[in-house]
């Protein structure tokens, strides 16, 4: 262990580990339910605060600050101890939740959501890091699988809780609900998580690394936000992001205690875990968003029925994650990943040629195969990325993987949206307008929408284009895993 870094005491007694895991479970649920519960309240928030023009920032502010702060907290946790940084993150997230619920205007709500994201940037990666600290490599897969049930539970009950709170109380309560959970986590950690740390006499903080990382991520994510309707600005932001990324890489190669240590990426297998998790998270947001759109706009099914497609994927994710440990004990990781990603790919190949007669049940099957594959592969990515670095870098490694997953979803959500809108505009004909096509997609089907016969083929072609992009990135990740030099079972 590097003499310049802290020494973590991992010998938590058996009577303490259940307390730690309770805190981690609640924290995982708290941060993951934040996304699912808020989406149900968005119409009420927009209506009451008159915030239609800024509605996308209610989610984007949270995701943006989470992405920026995640690797920073990972590095600080390696330097200052997991417990302190985790407690800070939970505190900031809880305060942000309280202020979000109290917000009287859309501007203050967006600022409060950004504060929530600053807290979540610590909580999300450190839940995985704390598990790595307190459980052996063989135990870790099972413990991660149990912790995944918190994520799955949030996906199942989040919309139900959100809908109930909005209908019976007000949208403010979808934020207040996390306040007691945050207090409970802080109490569990305070009384049950003891950690012996040896701090450096002088903490060398990579301020320029933080600056270039923040500028790069802000530039990239803002570019994605304006990609569809402000292409020139998007190009300028992409250039800023690229230059900042180059400055970050140059900085990290020469700084003595870098924010993102290049040493981690000397392992090709480690780098492949990060890339795989990032790309698959981009695929995840694709079927979560566009399967329901396909089913509702073209097949006229209800929002509840369409949403069950995503639920079926979440259930299979949870079940499959329990098989990660046994699979890693018997097979080379790259072979596991390649086989499962190919199975996922086959479903999307069908979608790019599917017509309106493609059966509804097939979407559930494809979603379940995706949930199974991702439940195994992304859990495996998490375990291996922690296992392949020095103990002093586990926090940083976990935060990088968490950042990759957040970026994969955020970036690809923007890319898919741009592809869908572009293909719709390119295929408009016979006087049908973009707003009319939008009306078909947005219709609640309680009445017949004009021009549906002309709009449906346009929507279908646009959805085909979205899933062609999914096929392309899945082929890329298969090739990347094929190039993994590791040919041995990791233990």
């Amino acid at each position: 262990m590097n003499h310049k870094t802290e020494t973590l005491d991992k010998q938590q007694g058996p009577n303490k580990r259940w307390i730690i895991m309770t805190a981690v479970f609640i924290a995982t649920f708290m941060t993951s339910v934040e996304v699912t519960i808020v989406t149900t309240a968005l119409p009420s928030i927009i209506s009451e605060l008159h915030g239609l023009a800024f509605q996308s920032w209610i989610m984007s502010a949270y995701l943006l600050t989470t992405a920026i702060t995640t690797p920073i907290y990972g590095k600080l946790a390696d330097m200052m101890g997991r417990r302190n940084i985790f407690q800070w993150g939970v505190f900031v997230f809880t305060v942000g939740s309280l202020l979000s619920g109290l917000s009287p205007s859309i501007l203050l709500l967006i600022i409060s959501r950004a504060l929530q994201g600053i807290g979540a940037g610590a909580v999300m990666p450190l839940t995985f890091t704390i598990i790595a600290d307190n459980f052996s490599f063989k135990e870790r897969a099972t413990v991660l699988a149990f912790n995944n049930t918190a994520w799955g539970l949030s996906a199942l009950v989040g919309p139900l809780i959100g809908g109930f709170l909005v209908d019976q109380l007000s949208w403010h309560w979808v934020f207040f609900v996390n306040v007691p959970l945050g207090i409970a986590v802080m109490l569990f950690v305070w009384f049950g998580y003891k950690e012996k740390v040896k701090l450096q006499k002088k903490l060398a903080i990579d301020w320029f690394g933080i600056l270039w990382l923040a500028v790069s991520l802000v530039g990239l994510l803002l570019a994605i936000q304006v990609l569809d309707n402000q292409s020139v600005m998007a190009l300028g932001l992409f250039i800023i992001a690229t230059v900042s990324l180059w400055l970050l890489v140059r900085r990290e190669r020469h700084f003595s205690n870098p924010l993102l240590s290049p040493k981690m990426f000397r392992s090709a297998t480690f780098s492949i875990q990060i890339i795989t998790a990032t790309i698959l998270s981009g695929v995840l947001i694709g079927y979560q968003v566009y399967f329901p759109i396909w089913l509702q706009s073209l097949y006229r099914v209800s929002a509840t029925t369409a949403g069950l497609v995503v639920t079926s994927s979440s259930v299979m994710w949870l079940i499959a994650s329990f098989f990660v440990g046994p699979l890693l004990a018997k097979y080379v990781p790259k072979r596991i990943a390649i086989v499962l990603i190919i199975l996922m790919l086959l479903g999307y190949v069908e979608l790019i040629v599917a017509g309106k007669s493609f059966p509804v049940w097939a979407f559930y099957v494809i979603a379940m195969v995706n949930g199974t594959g991702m439940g195994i592969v992304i859990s495996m990515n998490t375990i291996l990325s922690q296992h392949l670095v020095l103990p002093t870098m586990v926090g940083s490694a976990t935060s990088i993987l968490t950042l990759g997953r957040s970026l994969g979803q955020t970036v690809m959500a923007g890319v898919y949206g741009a592809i869908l809108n572009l293909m719709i505009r390119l295929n408009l004909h016979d006087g049908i307008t973009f707003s009319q096509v939008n009306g078909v997609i947005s219709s609640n089907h309680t009445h017949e929408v004009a021009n549906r016969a002309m709009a449906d083929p346009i929507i279908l072609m646009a959805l085909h284009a979205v899933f062609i992009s999914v096929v392309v990135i899945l082929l890329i990740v298969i090739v990347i895993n094929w190039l993994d030099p590791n040919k041995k079972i990791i233990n």
Side-chain angles (χ1 to χ4, degrees):
M1 192 172 288
N2 192 309
H3 70 280
K4 291 185 178 180
T5 57
E6 71 209 12
T7 301
L8 295 175
D9 179 16
K10 299 183 182 181
Q11 304 303 318
Q12 297 282 351
N15 61 324
K16 299 292 186 182
R17 293 207 299 185
W18 75 268
I19 299 177
I20 295 170
M21 278 310 302
T22 301
V24 167
F25 185 93
I26 297 173
T28 301
F29 176 83
M30 183 175 70
T31 51
S32 56
V33 80
E34 183 60 29
V35 177
T36 58
I37 197 173
V38 171
T39 54
T40 59
L42 280 177
S44 296
I45 294 172
I46 293 166
S47 175
E48 185 173 323
L49 299 183
H50 308 290
L52 181 59
F54 303 99
Q55 59 87 17
S56 65
W57 282 101
I58 297 173
M59 297 302 296
S60 296
Y62 177 80
L63 294 171
L64 184 63
T65 53
T66 300
I68 292 170
T69 55
T70 291
I72 298 171
Y73 283 129
K75 183 64 177 180
L76 291 176
D78 283 337
M79 297 169 64
M80 301 173 63
R82 299 10 170 162
R83 183 180 183 273
N84 294 334
I85 302 301
F86 187 69
Q87 279 281 62
W88 167 254
V90 173
F91 172 75
V92 173
F93 180 88
T94 304
V95 171
S97 298
L98 178 63
L99 293 177
S100 294
L102 295 173
S103 296
S105 69
I106 193 72
L107 177 60
L108 289 176
L109 176 59
I110 291 170
I111 293 172
S112 299
R113 289 284 287 163
L115 185 63
Q116 272 189 300
I118 292 172
V123 177
M124 291 167 64
L126 282 179
T127 54
F128 297 113
T129 307
I130 291 169
I131 290 172
D133 285 345
N134 290 279
F135 296 90
S136 68
F137 179 72
K138 291 183 179 179
E139 295 174 315
R140 216 169 289 162
T142 302
V143 176
L144 280 175
F146 276 115
N147 195 54
N148 279 343
T149 60
W151 171 83
L153 188 63
S154 71
L156 293 172
V157 306
L160 298 177
I161 295 174
F164 174 81
L165 292 173
V166 171
D167 291 339
Q168 301 300 320
L169 298 169
S170 71
W171 64 263
H172 302 272
W173 286 90
V174 302
F175 298 107
F176 291 151
V177 74
N178 270 328
V179 175
L181 295 179
I183 294 171
V185 172
M186 286 189 282
L187 290 174
F188 275 118
V189 172
W190 183 265
F191 291 108
Y193 188 7
K194 306 302 178 185
E195 180 182 54
K196 295 179 181 178
V197 296
K198 188 176 181 180
L199 296 176
Q200 300 177 24
K201 292 182 179 179
K202 184 178 180 181
L203 294 178
I205 299 177
D206 185 8
W207 293 111
F208 278 102
I210 293 172
L211 172 64
W212 298 131
L213 174 69
V215 173
S216 178
L217 291 178
V218 169
L220 175 63
L221 297 180
L222 287 179
I224 294 297
Q225 288 290 320
V226 301
L227 182 63
D228 179 46
N229 53 16
Q230 299 181 51
S231 56
V232 175
M233 181 182 290
L235 177 61
L237 289 167
F238 274 127
I239 293 171
I240 291 172
T242 303
V243 172
S244 300
L245 179 61
W246 175 76
L247 290 170
L248 173 66
V249 172
R250 192 177 71 167
R251 169 72 177 181
E252 301 307 86
R253 285 177 176 173
H254 297 96
F255 192 66
S256 59
N257 193 12
L259 178 67
L260 304 175
S261 176
K263 292 180 181 178
M264 291 186 288
F265 297 95
R266 290 175 185 171
S267 166
T269 301
F270 171 85
S271 299
I272 286 168
Q273 305 312 308
I274 304 299
I275 295 169
T276 300
T278 300
I279 293 177
L280 290 186
S281 296
V283 173
L284 170 68
I285 201 69
Y287 74 79
Q288 283 185 333
V289 173
Y290 292 97
F291 277 20
I293 286 177
W294 189 317
L295 292 173
Q296 289 182 75
S297 61
L298 298 181
Y299 288 14
R300 326 283 193 260
V301 304
S302 68
T304 302
T305 303
L308 288 174
V309 174
V310 179
T311 302
S312 66
S313 168
S314 301
V315 170
M316 293 308 300
W317 184 308
L318 297 179
I319 295 171
S321 61
F322 285 95
F323 293 92
V324 176
L327 287 171
L328 280 175
K330 293 182 180 180
Y331 302 103
V332 177
K334 67 184 253 182
R335 293 179 181 172
I336 300 171
I338 289 171
V339 169
L340 290 171
I341 295 169
I342 288 174
L343 290 175
M344 292 163 59
L345 176 66
L346 294 176
Y348 290 108
V349 169
E350 290 185 79
L351 285 178
I352 64 177
V353 296
K356 287 190 64 177
S357 60
F358 194 69
V360 172
W361 59 261
F363 288 91
Y364 288 83
V365 173
I366 295 171
M368 291 170 74
V369 170
N370 270 265
T372 302
M374 292 190 185
I376 293 173
V377 177
I378 293 183
S379 297
M380 183 174 71
N381 296 150
T382 304
I383 295 168
L384 294 180
S385 63
Q386 295 173 334
H387 185 65
L388 293 169
V389 299
L390 295 172
T392 54
M393 295 183 179
V394 170
S396 295
T398 309
S399 68
I400 290 171
L401 184 127
T402 306
L403 172 63
R405 291 183 62 180
S406 298
L407 282 179
Q409 293 187 59
T410 307
V411 170
M412 289 312 299
V415 171
Y416 295 143
I419 291 173
L420 185 81
N421 289 338
L422 176 63
M423 292 304 297
I424 289 174
R425 294 183 194 281
L426 290 176
N427 288 284
L428 295 175
H429 58 86
D430 295 333
I432 190 169
T433 64
F434 185 86
S435 61
Q436 288 173 326
V437 176
N438 182 75
V440 172
I441 294 176
S442 304
S443 172
N444 60 11
H445 312 303
T446 56
H447 61 279
E448 189 61 29
V449 178
N451 301 307
R452 185 180 291 281
M454 290 190 292
D456 281 359
I458 296 173
I459 296 170
L460 183 60
M461 283 189 285
L463 289 168
H464 283 166
V466 168
F467 291 114
I468 287 172
S469 68
V470 173
V471 168
V472 170
I473 62 175
L474 282 174
L475 288 171
I476 291 171
V477 81
I478 289 171
V479 172
I480 290 171
N481 278 271
W482 186 268
L483 296 174
D484 186 351
N486 177 63
K487 298 180 180 179
K488 297 179 181 180
I489 296 172
I490 297 177
N491 49 45

